[in-house]
Amino acid sequence: MSHSAALKILHLLSQRPDSTGSGIFVRAMLREAAARGHDGFLVAGVEVPEGGPPPELPGDRALLVRFGLDEGLPAHITGMSDVMPYESTRFRDLTEEELDRYEAAFAGALTAAVERFAPDVIHSHHLWLLSSLTRRLFPGIPLVTSCHGSDLRQFQNCPHLQERVLAGCRGIDTVVALSRAQRQEIIRLYGFPPERVKVAGAGYDHRLFRAADKPRPEPVQLVYAGKLSHAKGVPWLLRALDGLDSPDWQLHLLGGGSGPEKEHCLQLARQLGPRVLVHGPVPQAELAAILRQSHVLVLPSFFEGLPLVILEGLASGCRIVATELPGAREVLGGCAADFISLVPTPRLRNLDQPYQEDEEQFVGDLQAALAHQMEAARRRVRLDPSRVGDTLAAYTWTGVFRKYETVFQSLLS
């Protein structure tokens, strides 16, 4: 791209630019945009005292809405998931007055950012209140919004906020989905014309996540990376492992959480003794190092937009055990490999809660898939990386950003 085509891109995220999939996404977009010669600015939500701009940006290129400090805002960030990897407030619990103060705080930051930066295009994250507010405030600036999946859950779980969301979101110029299945859900829920909803996926950092020689599988090294919550299937994973004694295994439990669900997960982990190592939240570089030394990645989630950790695990030479979600099928559609086991998802109520009568079957299916991949790891059956090479090549952050770049340019032309 020539220098004359460089864009000024204002990135928007209503929560921390770290710790979650959307936070990692924003930082990757900032990094890839800069590599392509574009200019970036960020408006995001953080919590004092820890919060600050991501390292991809100088401090004068970010305006932060500070929960726990800015007048009228809750002490904790209002999270796009009801269970976040850090202390958070739920949208469903906000009063009308609190919602007005929330929007007023972000409106102030957005207005200041637009006046200071004069963006060519705005790239917001989540089909939710911040994107709706942005469209209402700046109808003349091209707006592209990434859907991450958690916004679709909020939309269905908070029907009292739907009109507030739709008031602006239906005017978004282009919505970008993580998968084809998610695209159809966006069209159905929000009533977008199909031509305004594109698919670009999400990426993994191929510089960080790469294969290396694995340790001897004595014990087999398992890893889970994600929120410690029920929606991610963590309690059922721990129940499945509780019934597996052979081959010998060790689970690395990575990720944060909050509230009773996190405590329930940790209680189950403690019952399994030293075979479960609880790491808490870790930076991407540490996750990559653990994956390189692990044999099996397991993702028992009941809800995912596009499970990036599966790509990170594959790139790191891990066997995969995951629930058979639409996003997982789409990522792995061309990978008919014996080192990937997809477990049928149980029937769900409220989007991510299995029916009690289906739990035993799900735990059994998960247990069987784990036993199969653990035994193959124990026997040191070789993985053929060529089976997933094309899949991995399609999901680098560089490739994903170029799809967004095409969307930006088409709107400006």
Side-chain angles (χ1 to χ4, degrees), residues 7-12 39-41 110-123 134 138 140-142 412:
L7 301 177
K8 297 172 73 175
I9 306 169
L10 173 58
H11 303 262
L12 309 180
D39 200 3
F41 198 102
L110 284 167
T111 301
V114 169
E115 289 176 354
R116 182 189 304 180
F117 185 57
D120 298 311
V121 63
I122 299 175
H123 181 187
T134 302
F138 308 107
I141 303 176
L412 290 166

Side-chain angles (χ1 to χ4, degrees), residues 123-390:
H123 181 187
S124 71
H125 292 265
H126 300 112
L127 285 165
W128 196 238
L129 295 174
L130 179 58
S131 296
S132 179
L133 173 67
T134 302
R135 177 76 303 171
R136 299 195 307 270
L137 288 174
F138 308 107
I141 303 176
L143 174 60
V144 176
T145 301
S146 297
C147 177
H148 292 280
S150 55
D151 38 5
L152 305 185
R153 288 177 64 207
Q154 290 291 348
F155 189 83
Q156 294 172 84
N157 288 337
C158 299
H160 65 293
L161 296 179
Q162 288 181 0
E163 284 307 312
R164 196 168 188 145
V165 169
L166 291 173
C169 281
R170 280 185 172 155
I172 292 169
D173 295 290
T174 303
V175 176
V176 185
L178 294 172
S179 66
R180 293 187 295 273
Q182 189 185 79
R183 175 180 182 270
Q184 293 305 116
E185 192 172 8
I186 292 167
I187 293 168
R188 178 179 65 84
L189 289 174
Y190 291 76
F192 282 111
E195 65 272 14
R196 280 170 43 205
V197 187
K198 312 296 184 184
V199 178
Y204 77 99
D205 191 338
H206 64 284
R207 300 164 304 175
L208 272 181
F209 296 95
R210 59 189 186 277
D213 291 338
K214 301 287 186 185
R216 292 184 61 84
E218 300 165 356
V220 176
Q221 300 293 316
L222 312 172
V223 61
Y224 164 83
K227 293 172 193 167
L228 301 185
S229 70
H230 292 178
K232 292 288 187 176
V234 177
W236 293 271
L237 165 63
L238 295 170
R239 283 170 54 186
L241 287 172
D242 191 28
L244 285 175
D245 293 320
S246 179
D248 193 16
W249 56 266
Q250 183 171 57
L251 172 67
H252 298 266
L253 199 61
L254 280 65
S258 60
E261 291 192 13
K262 174 188 174 184
E263 290 309 312
H264 182 222
C265 294
L266 293 177
Q267 178 188 6
L268 293 173
R270 285 192 292 268
Q271 291 174 5
L272 294 174
R275 291 192 294 179
V276 179
L277 299 180
V278 178
H279 294 259
V282 299
Q284 286 270 284
E286 188 174 341
L287 168 61
I290 292 172
L291 284 172
R292 281 195 292 274
Q293 295 300 303
S294 297
H295 303 101
V296 182
L297 168 77
V298 56
L299 182 68
S301 180
F302 300 131
F303 191 95
E304 294 284 338
L306 190 73
L308 286 182
V309 73
I310 290 180
L311 297 168
E312 293 164 349
L314 287 173
S316 305
C318 293
R319 297 176 171 276
I320 304 295
V321 173
T323 36
E324 194 176 10
L325 297 168
R329 286 198 303 270
E330 190 161 322
V331 168
L332 300 171
C335 304
D338 57 4
F339 51 84
I340 298 168
S341 294
L342 294 182
V343 177
T345 309
R347 294 179 304 149
L348 301 171
R349 53 188 173 86
N350 300 329
L351 301 179
D352 54 19
Q353 299 172 25
Y355 285 91
Q356 188 173 357
E357 58 267 31
D358 291 357
E359 291 186 38
E360 186 176 346
Q361 178 70 45
F362 177 59
V363 169
D365 291 343
L366 195 55
Q367 199 172 68
L370 284 164
H372 170 72
Q373 295 298 346
M374 287 162 57
E375 179 59 25
R378 186 192 67 80
R379 292 188 287 109
R380 310 190 82 167
V381 177
R382 182 179 176 274
L383 279 67
D384 181 2
S386 68
R387 305 284 288 276
V388 295
D390 290 344

